[in-house]
Amino acid sequence: MSDIPVLILHGWSDTSASFKPLANFLRNNGRQVIDIWLADYVSMHDEVTIYDLGNAMGRAIREQKIPESKHSFDVIIHSTGALVVRQYLLQYFYGKPDQCPIQHLVMLAPANFGSPLASAGQSVTGRFFKGWKWDGMFQTGKKVLDALKLASPITFRMAERDLFNPENPLFKPEHIFTTILVGSEAYTNPMRAVLHENGSDGTVRVATANLNASMLKVIFSNAPDAEPEKITVAPQYDPIAFCVAEGHNHGSITKPESANFPELGGLILKSLDIATPSEYRSHVDMLRTLTENLYNQTHPGKKSEWYHQYQHIVTCAKDQFGAEIGDYMIEFFEEADKSDRIMVKLHSEVLEEVTLFEPGSGYRSFFFDLTDLKREILDNGHQVDMSISAAAVSERIKYVDPKKYITVAGPAPDQQALLKPHTPLLVDFQLPRIEGKKKVFTLTKA
């Protein structure tokens, strides 16, 4: 077993003290553990950003004289720690994946694409659950929580840089062995259990934990009747090891000796012991099989809904100049269904939640129950279409109003390429900004 250091990063509002049991477990199994303290990992002061934390992680590593040569240390993170370590790698090793100092990266319930509780964390509700006894009363880490919100531009742009940029194929196994473990059960604490959302571990959605993301660019032309150009952006990673750990919630996933899922400790150790890309590919397949077996089981009562399969879709709308379009509408329907029955079913049973990052922003997220989508719509021979339209800025400036719709999914297997359970899908729309009824520019003869 490797003797290189292991760095442990906690999440929002937590401290390294919570991870002493994990550190002891690793020590008892022959691993050296070094705790990283980013000024005790400040996450609840409003002026601190994810960018500050990524920068501070690099500073702390160097202060502790931890080598940063290729594959010189391992990292285990929990929750928000995922964004911190990814930001560290972007700031210090962007475009240099072959110099990545992290050999094994184990993500426990990572908030790679946010958490539905981030908005609540900024409120009095968040303080009620986290307590008031700290030196920044009435502060909640607003800027960190902004990064953690669903449909955050920060996580969208981060994915563009470390998952889809050919200059930075960081998450290929020759550069870093990444393993993601997340639960799908509610907290046992009754106060926290009331916040549970199906398809999540009580804090992070299974689909937003996953780094196996897809990206689609949809470009509309100035001609409203023209078919849009649809570009599937090639991911710059091989399949990343991902597993839904049976019996775990957001808190228990950090306890490797838990009786609920005794295999967890073995999975963590295995994730830290991979030596070759070939071993990693076998690891990916093994975790995929574990997850598939879990979701193929029959779960009793309420638990059956916890184990529906979901997809997290984030959209961004921009004009041809790259400026965000804030006031736009996306509608899901079936073009052939003139009674709108399918649209009603989609919006009432399949589309669980729509989240706007903030008013005036071009970013929003859609949480789809793929289990219900398949059972209620696709298996009955129907399809799902999508349209987009944007409100005019004024009488002088508006956006093209496309007449063509996009088919998202249909009953045929080749119509379901975009549907990938437990994963994020990023969709980047481009709508041309044009003159309205009143002209902005005219020419007259002198």
Side-chain angles (χ1 to χ4, degrees):
M1 183 173 287
S2 172
D3 59 357
I4 65 175
V6 179
L7 281 54
I8 300 176
L9 276 69
H10 59 75
W12 172 76
S13 80
D14 210 343
T15 70
S16 57
S18 299
F19 293 85
K20 288 181 179 178
L22 176 58
N24 290 335
F25 171 81
L26 295 174
R27 287 193 188 97
N28 292 338
N29 285 275
R31 300 305 301 249
Q32 178 183 352
V33 178
I34 297 176
D35 292 328
I36 289 296
W37 299 70
L38 307 181
D40 199 40
Y41 183 172
V42 170
S43 64
M44 295 187 68
H45 287 266
D46 287 346
E47 79 278 12
V48 176
T49 69
I50 285 293
Y51 308 112
D52 294 326
L53 293 176
N55 187 53
M57 179 176 174
R59 186 264 308 156
I61 286 172
R62 288 163 190 183
E63 281 185 356
Q64 297 218 18
K65 300 188 181 346
I66 300 170
E68 286 185 288
S69 56
K70 183 178 176 65
H71 292 172
S72 58
F73 60 89
D74 293 337
V75 174
I76 299 176
I77 66 86
H78 181 235
S79 197
T80 310
L83 301 185
V84 177
V85 73
R86 287 171 65 196
Q87 192 56 227
Y88 157 73
L89 289 170
L90 284 172
Q91 289 185 18
Y92 290 91
F93 295 95
Y94 178 80
K96 301 179 288 186
D98 56 328
Q99 299 177 32
C100 179
I102 301 174
Q103 184 173 36
H104 302 93
L105 173 59
V106 180
M107 295 184 165
L108 304 177
N112 279 310
F113 289 90
S115 164
L117 298 188
S119 296
Q122 291 181 338
S123 68
V124 173
T125 303
R127 298 307 316 129
F128 175 77
F129 281 102
K130 301 307 296 187
W132 295 93
K133 295 181 179 179
W134 76 293
D135 64 353
M137 183 177 285
F138 302 118
Q139 295 191 53
T140 57
K142 183 182 183 303
K143 289 185 170 60
V144 172
L145 287 170
D146 278 345
L148 283 170
K149 288 180 180 177
L150 300 172
S152 168
I154 293 173
T155 51
F156 196 104
R157 294 168 190 157
M158 191 180 291
E160 287 182 309
R161 297 187 71 202
D162 68 5
L163 295 178
F164 296 100
N165 192 327
E167 295 181 6
N168 193 44
L170 177 67
F171 288 101
K172 287 185 175 292
E174 59 264 36
H175 302 314
I176 187 169
F177 298 125
T178 305
T179 300
I180 299 167
L181 305 173
V182 63
S184 187
E185 302 224 0
Y187 285 107
T188 54
N189 182 313
M191 293 296 292
R192 293 193 172 194
V194 299
L195 299 176
H196 183 74
E197 176 186 52
N198 294 333
S200 82
D201 66 358
T203 297
V204 167
R205 292 172 176 171
V206 171
T208 60
N210 204 341
L211 280 176
N212 290 290
S214 304
M215 189 171 191
L216 178 69
K217 290 183 179 290
V218 182
I219 302 171
F220 292 92
S221 72
N222 283 3
D225 292 325
E227 291 285 349
E229 182 182 7
K230 296 188 282 291
I231 303 171
T232 301
V233 182
Q236 301 301 313
Y237 59 85
D238 293 350
I240 296 170
F242 175 83
C243 183
V244 180
E246 183 176 5
H248 277 289
N249 57 47
H250 195 70
S252 67
I253 197 74
T254 65
K255 300 174 175 58
E257 296 177 293
S258 168
N260 288 340
F261 188 61
E263 295 89 348
L264 179 64
L267 286 180
I268 292 174
L269 294 174
K270 170 63 177 172
S271 302
L272 293 170
D273 203 33
I274 297 165
T276 67
S278 177
E279 285 183 27
Y280 182 72
R281 286 188 285 272
S282 297
H283 182 63
V284 170
D285 291 341
M286 184 262 289
L287 295 188
R288 182 188 297 117
T289 299
L290 282 176
T291 301
E292 289 173 352
N293 290 343
L294 175 61
Y295 280 82
N296 287 334
Q297 293 177 20
T298 300
H299 300 279
K302 212 171 191 180
K303 277 196 176 185
S304 65
E305 296 182 357
W306 295 357
Y307 287 90
H308 277 205
Q309 300 187 51
Y310 291 86
Q311 188 167 21
H312 173 72
I313 299 176
V314 183
T315 65
C316 175
K318 299 175 183 176
D319 62 26
Q320 70 272 38
F321 310 111
E324 286 183 19
I325 302 171
D327 191 2
Y328 68 94
M329 181 177 71
I330 290 177
E331 189 173 41
F332 298 95
F333 59 96
E334 184 182 35
E335 176 67 14
D337 177 32
K338 303 308 178 185
S339 68
D340 288 337
R341 183 177 61 86
I342 297 300
M343 185 178 73
V344 171
K345 189 174 287 289
L346 270 165
H347 287 267
S348 62
E349 298 181 32
V350 176
L351 180 54
E352 295 281 337
E353 185 179 351
V354 180
T355 305
L356 179 68
F357 173 68
E358 61 183 23
S361 166
Y363 294 83
R364 56 197 62 176
S365 74
F366 301 82
F367 194 42
F368 275 94
D369 186 332
L370 298 189
T371 301
D372 283 346
L373 173 63
K374 188 173 186 304
R375 181 174 58 206
E376 300 293 335
I377 295 175
L378 303 183
D379 286 353
N380 291 317
H382 297 283
Q383 70 182 44
V384 178
D385 301 314
M386 176 181 69
S387 66
I388 182 171
S389 59
V393 178
S394 68
E395 291 182 311
R396 293 177 174 81
I397 299 295
K398 66 177 185 177
Y399 299 97
V400 166
D401 186 14
K403 304 304 179 189
K404 296 293 184 179
Y405 59 85
I406 299 167
T407 297
V408 176
D414 63 351
Q415 292 180 303
Q416 298 180 24
L418 292 177
L419 304 183
K420 296 178 181 178
H422 319 307
T423 67
L425 169 63
L426 311 181
V427 184
D428 190 346
F429 290 103
Q430 180 178 301
L431 280 176
R433 180 181 173 110
I434 59 176
E435 283 184 307
K437 292 180 180 179
K438 294 187 177 181
K439 298 303 179 186
V440 175
F441 193 105
T442 60
L443 291 173
T444 57
K445 284 187 176 181

